[in-house]
Amino acid sequence: MELIDILNYSVAFFTIYTTVFFLLLFFKYKKDYYTTPKWSGNTPLVSIVIPAYNEEKYLKKCLDSILTLDYPREKLDVIVVDDGSTDRTATVAKEYEKYGVRVFSKKNGGKGAALNYGIERARGEFIATMDADSYVTPKVLKELLPYFEDHEVMAVTPAVKIAPSNSVIREFQRIEYLMILFSRKLLSYLDAVPVTPGPFSIFRASIFKEIGGFDEHNLVEDQEIAMRIQQHNYKIRSSVSDDSTVYTEPPDNMGDLLRQRVRWQRGGIRNYWRYKFMIKPEFGNYGMFFIPLNFATLSAFFIVLGLLLNAIFNNPFYTRYILLESVVMSFNMFTVIGVFVLLMSFVWLYAAVSSFKSERIKLRYILLFMIFYWYLMVCYNVLMAVAEIRREKTSW
């Protein structure tokens, strides 16, 4: 057996093993998948810090959603940090001062700096960080706060989703967010949650005093803070219940989407390198499962890509059924594995989307996501990883 065959089968085995493992994990915890800890009825003071840079378009909807939270108004400490906006963000925010919202304006310094500015002025026992282009559903606090009954829990993440629309790009991202949410919930059973998402996450205020605030020079500060929490052997929990839903506004066009993914990818690579890919005892299951899960996704992509390229370029093109005949003519054990990986990838995607009963997604979007978008984004992320040769200024 040649070296390339050994590599192919090793990657295929690893991919299948990881995919099956997480599917079995879902079936094991399926009964508890939607449940949240019982709420004691306590209503501690909660600070909600909203950093904002040129967000006049979305800030009103964001603040309106906070004011309609099913939570005592006197137990909410809402802070908006205007990070040197050049539009009417500060003006819109000040309109809500009459409702008790505290508004601060500072020189532009990036999202991490704005978050820390607000956290330093927060009064709550718990601190929620929230993007200005997101909006919460009424019961989100009552759904998330009970997780903190476990004193080792330092952060809780909600069900971050994208609202349904008629836009193909938005629908693709909507599916992607559900897949990410599905994965994050399963990883929470392993104490391996990889990120405290920027649209909305709640932290125990004491954690910032112990490990410090957000990294102000990080491209994906919400991932880095999660890594630091894990490094200190604390827990992060994730909710997928409908009552914990937080909606966020995604990029509306391919250009903005790719720019966002460049930032995510480059920031992620730098964080992995900074923490030595989490393969250290203090990260526990976090490093054990998070990195393999990412590797499995890349492996599945290359297996399917290799299968198609082998079928297309190593066989005649003169038949009416080029692809079908090519696959048959190049049939071998690796072909079987490739097809199986493709099927398992679809099962994984379908399990993720169908686990959210309230989300209605058309089958054609799921199929197009699987065939086009998913592999396109994986390919793009690989290219960005290879091209990660320069430092970017931290920005919004």
Side-chain angles (χ1 to χ4, degrees), residues 21-296:
F21 175 85
F22 278 93
L23 285 173
L24 291 177
L25 191 66
F26 168 66
F27 291 124
K28 178 180 179 179
Y29 291 102
K30 190 174 182 180
K31 290 183 179 179
D32 302 323
Y33 186 73
Y34 302 100
T35 59
T36 57
K38 187 176 181 181
W39 186 47
S40 64
N42 292 332
T43 55
L45 180 63
V46 178
S47 294
I48 301 178
V49 177
I50 307 170
Y53 175 70
N54 290 350
E55 294 287 0
E56 67 169 308
K57 180 179 179 181
Y58 299 111
L59 185 56
K60 185 178 187 303
K61 187 173 184 179
C62 171
L63 292 172
D64 284 342
S65 73
I66 291 174
L67 294 178
T68 58
L69 279 170
D70 182 14
Y71 201 78
R73 183 72 59 82
E74 68 275 9
K75 294 299 183 71
L76 289 177
D77 171 36
V78 185
I79 300 171
V80 176
V81 180
D82 169 38
D83 192 47
S85 298
T86 57
D87 64 0
R88 296 181 63 256
T89 294
T91 302
V92 172
K94 287 182 181 296
E95 293 174 359
Y96 287 81
E97 287 182 327
K98 59 187 176 183
Y99 299 111
V101 175
R102 294 192 286 151
V103 181
F104 300 92
S105 293
K106 61 180 287 293
K107 183 179 179 181
N108 181 261
K111 185 177 178 181
L115 282 167
N116 289 337
Y117 188 93
I119 289 170
E120 289 171 1
R121 290 156 178 76
R123 302 165 180 162
E125 178 183 351
F126 298 95
I127 299 175
T129 58
M130 182 177 183
D131 287 349
D133 61 354
S134 302
Y135 56 99
V136 297
T137 48
K139 294 184 178 181
V140 65
L141 290 183
K142 289 184 177 180
E143 283 291 305
L144 300 185
L145 287 174
Y147 284 96
F148 289 104
E149 294 293 327
D150 180 347
H151 294 289
E152 292 185 353
V153 173
M154 290 295 154
V156 183
T157 70
V160 179
K161 300 178 183 179
I162 293 173
S165 72
N166 294 320
S167 166
V168 175
I169 291 180
R170 288 175 70 98
E171 285 297 290
F172 282 165
Q173 292 177 83
R174 183 175 164 224
I175 295 171
E176 185 178 27
Y177 270 62
L178 294 178
M179 186 173 66
I180 292 172
L181 180 55
F182 177 75
S183 302
R184 188 162 64 237
K185 180 64 176 180
L186 295 183
L187 286 168
S188 72
Y189 294 123
L190 304 172
D191 291 328
V193 175
V195 66
T196 48
F200 195 89
S201 293
I202 301 182
F203 302 85
R204 199 182 294 273
S206 60
I207 192 63
F208 296 114
K209 296 178 181 178
E210 181 175 348
I211 70 173
F214 286 86
D215 183 345
E216 298 182 6
H217 305 288
N218 202 287
L219 291 175
V220 279
E221 72 292 324
D222 53 354
Q223 181 193 66
E224 191 278 332
I225 194 73
M227 289 181 171
R228 226 177 324 141
I229 291 173
Q230 298 278 4
Q231 187 182 35
H232 284 74
N233 296 311
Y234 289 120
K235 299 176 183 178
I236 301 174
R237 289 291 177 255
S238 181
S239 175
V240 294
S241 71
D242 287 340
D243 286 336
S244 71
T245 298
V246 174
Y247 290 102
T248 188
E249 291 293 334
D252 285 321
N253 58 73
M254 208 62 185
D256 289 342
L257 175 61
L258 293 179
R259 279 189 289 273
Q260 180 192 65
R261 298 316 162 87
V262 167
R263 180 173 62 83
W264 286 4
Q265 186 65 22
R266 285 180 167 155
I269 291 170
R270 294 169 193 175
N271 284 334
Y272 301 153
W273 181 258
R274 173 178 176 177
Y275 289 102
K276 304 299 184 289
F277 295 90
M278 288 79 71
I279 307 176
K280 294 191 290 185
E282 58 261 40
F283 283 103
N285 288 335
Y286 186 76
M288 181 73 90
F289 290 102
F290 178 57
I291 294 301
L293 181 61
N294 280 270
F295 183 73

Side-chain angles (χ1 to χ4, degrees), residues 304-321:
V304 175
L305 180 63
L307 174 68
L308 294 177
L309 291 179
N310 179 61
I312 293 172
F313 290 108
N314 291 340
N315 296 283
F317 284 83
Y318 51 78
T319 176
R320 282 182 61 188
Y321 306 101

Side-chain angles (χ1 to χ4, degrees), residues 5 7-9 11-12 302-304 306-307 310 331-339:
D5 291 326
L7 180 62
N8 285 338
Y9 289 126
V11 169
F302 284 115
I303 287 173
V304 175
L307 174 68
N310 179 61
F331 185 85
N332 54 35
M333 182 54 70
F334 190 67
T335 306
V336 175
I337 294 174
V339 171

